[in-house]
Amino acid sequence: MSKGYGSTTVGRSSRRRVLRLAGGGLTMAVLGAGLTGCEDELATGGTGSTPPPRSASPEENGKAPEDGQAPKPLWTRTTAAQTYGDNDELVAVDGVVIASGDPLAALDGATGEERWSLSGGAVPGAPLLLGDGTLYLASGKYDGNVIGYVPGSGKEAWRSHLGKEYRQPRPVAVDAEQVYVIAEILELDNSSHTNVIAALNSSTGKVVWKEQRDLGTEQNGVHAVVQGRYLVYTDFKKNLTVRDTATGRQVWTQKTTKTSYGPFVVHQDLVIVPQGQRLQAFALSDGSEKWSVETEKFTTFREPSLVEDVLYIADSGRTLWALQPGTGKKVWQSTALKDTGAQVPRQFVKAGGALYGATDLDKQGGVHAFDAKTGALRWTFNDKSGDYHAWLVATDGKHVFALHGKKLHALPA
């Protein structure tokens, strides 16, 4: 249940980070032309190119042929998606696939037909959080509510309100008992300079605890994971913080590097965070370092994903790593991205024997399919639209859903 982004090169922010900041409160008008051409050169691999596929066409059942050509989509739909590159803005659950947008719509995973739609259902940039069969959302009506829906039907199942003295509560993590939210604390003049983190009971909606965060922290850009008694989160202020889920008490906090704005991995009693050239694992109980892995000089680690107890992560030098999350030991290491000039993925899912990775920007990217046992690159799917949005990927085990801008594609798994 990670919430859970991106690495930056020296002196230049990645375009996806700029877009996510826009989702957190800046307007697109202010950003203007700055969104154009702001590409992370190290992460995209410069001018390399992916070799063109040979002449064979995809098989009729939609599966990719052995020559490396990507499969044709089973279906493609234009959606109302409003995404900023966070992994949890696209989810597949209970036979439907849902992309963050207004209206919030659930499409049948097999056919692409709309199952249900909800006007004002999601706040752009806020996560679609799944927990215990419920989809938790910040109210798109900006009325201070946090609402839980049945993902298969869209019916409301739960609702909570933090209080009139707080504004725009956003859920950041969920476990079997509580929904964790962050909200602005309102001043008498209706301004806000501080924010609160709180736990809401997922049965009654009542506030279990709430703790004011330090002055200067932000309510946007928070990525969180719950593991047992620990709530772990990072933010744009380079904080890595662990709190007790029962009381809200801060267990420990420490500063991270500029590359750890986004998702991280929690495995058993460890939190694993990319920090530039190093990937570090810290003990959840006290923050002590348990292991670290270094990539090559002048390269940085991207965002990690934990899939079926294997940690997958790429670096800006276009090496793909598969690691044991408990020890940091290598399962395998692949240079397939470097060999083909393909772009670095930043989000991973697995279906069958394939590992699927979604890239940031469009050039030489899209959704890569790798052999999960070796890291060999099988094929890359790209819709050739040139849309500047990051790719997002999700799976229900039978399909791989690739979202690019407002286009949602269903690929055979």
Side-chain angles (χ1 to χ4, degrees):
M1 292 173 284
S2 171
K3 191 197 168 306
Y5 283 144
S7 63
T8 58
T9 52
V10 176
R12 300 182 64 184
S13 294
S14 70
R15 175 160 42 182
R16 180 168 52 79
R17 168 159 160 70
V18 175
L19 287 170
R20 291 195 64 256
L21 284 170
L26 298 177
T27 64
M28 297 298 286
V30 171
L31 293 171
L35 297 180
T36 304
C38 187
E39 184 173 336
D40 184 335
E41 292 174 343
L42 282 178
T44 57
T47 58
S49 60
T50 304
R54 293 191 284 271
S55 58
S57 59
E59 300 173 3
E60 291 183 0
N61 64 5
K63 293 183 179 179
E66 294 181 358
D67 69 355
Q69 184 170 339
K72 292 182 178 179
L74 300 173
W75 53 260
T76 296
R77 296 288 183 271
T78 299
T79 70
Q82 296 172 289
T83 62
Y84 298 92
D86 276 356
N87 297 355
D88 47 26
E89 294 176 309
L90 178 71
V91 297
V93 60
D94 290 351
V96 298
V97 55
I98 307 169
S100 180
D102 187 10
L104 187 70
L107 305 183
D108 187 284
T111 66
E113 299 302 313
E114 185 177 290
R115 288 266 201 96
W116 55 263
S117 178
L118 184 65
S119 180
V123 174
L128 307 178
L129 284 184
L130 293 170
D132 198 25
T134 303
L135 174 66
Y136 294 97
L137 303 173
S139 173
K141 296 180 180 178
Y142 299 93
D143 54 10
N145 286 310
V146 179
I147 308 173
Y149 297 92
V150 178
S153 65
K155 293 182 178 179
E156 184 176 320
W158 179 90
R159 179 180 290 251
S160 181
H161 195 283
L162 187 59
K164 293 182 179 179
E165 64 271 37
Y166 305 102
R167 180 169 57 195
Q168 296 183 0
R170 293 188 176 198
V172 294
V174 60
D175 59 22
E177 298 178 353
Q178 296 176 160
V179 181
Y180 303 89
V181 301
I182 288 182
E184 297 175 346
I185 300 174
L186 291 176
E187 306 292 339
L188 293 177
D189 62 358
N190 211 38
S191 65
S192 178
H193 309 289
T194 54
N195 62 89
V196 66
I197 186 165
L200 308 175
N201 185 286
S202 58
S203 296
T204 65
K206 293 182 178 180
V207 178
V208 179
W209 55 256
K210 53 188 175 183
E211 293 286 332
Q212 181 173 326
R213 298 177 69 214
D214 293 340
L215 185 66
T217 57
E218 301 175 5
Q219 73 276 11
N220 298 307
V222 172
H223 302 87
V225 178
V226 184
Q227 179 77 331
R229 56 177 290 197
Y230 299 111
L231 170 64
V232 192
Y233 58 92
T234 58
D235 59 32
F236 283 163
K237 294 294 184 179
K238 307 176 189 176
N239 298 303
L240 171 62
T241 304
V242 176
R243 289 184 181 272
D244 187 292
T245 56
T247 64
R249 178 183 61 87
Q250 183 171 291
V251 180
W252 57 267
T253 187
Q254 65 183 42
K255 288 293 184 180
T256 62
T257 70
K258 66 180 180 180
T259 59
S260 56
Y261 294 118
F264 53 89
V265 161
V266 171
H267 173 74
Q268 296 179 356
D269 59 349
L270 298 176
V271 52
I272 306 168
V273 183
Q275 303 206 73
Q277 191 181 345
R278 299 181 72 195
L279 181 67
Q280 292 177 280
F282 303 100
L284 284 175
S285 59
D286 59 12
S288 59
E289 184 179 301
K290 294 302 182 181
W291 60 257
S292 68
V293 172
E294 288 194 12
T295 186
E296 295 180 358
K297 192 175 182 180
F298 304 122
T299 62
T300 58
F301 279 112
R302 301 298 303 273
E303 301 93 326
S305 294
L306 184 64
V307 185
E308 297 181 4
D309 288 331
V310 177
L311 175 65
Y312 298 101
I313 191 168
D315 64 39
S316 60
R318 289 181 289 178
T319 297
L320 181 61
W321 306 60
L323 303 172
Q324 296 175 3
T327 63
K329 291 182 179 179
K330 245 184 278 183
V331 178
W332 50 254
Q333 195 174 49
S334 170
T335 61
L337 296 169
K338 187 183 300 184
D339 297 340
T340 60
Q343 193 177 330
V344 175
R346 37 152 295 276
Q347 180 198 6
F348 298 93
V349 299
K350 187 179 177 185
L355 177 71
Y356 299 89
T359 69
D360 210 353
L361 304 176
D362 191 52
K363 186 179 179 182
Q364 323 298 66
V367 173
H368 300 312
F370 302 94
D371 186 310
K373 293 182 178 180
T374 66
L377 181 60
R378 292 179 174 178
W379 47 261
T380 298
F381 173 79
N382 192 309
D383 58 12
K384 308 299 182 184
S385 69
D387 192 291
Y388 61 81
H389 285 86
W391 286 82
L392 295 177
V393 66
T395 183
D396 60 3
K398 299 178 181 178
H399 313 87
V400 175
F401 303 103
L403 180 66
H404 190 210
K406 295 186 179 298
K407 293 291 186 182
L408 180 61
H409 312 275
L411 306 175

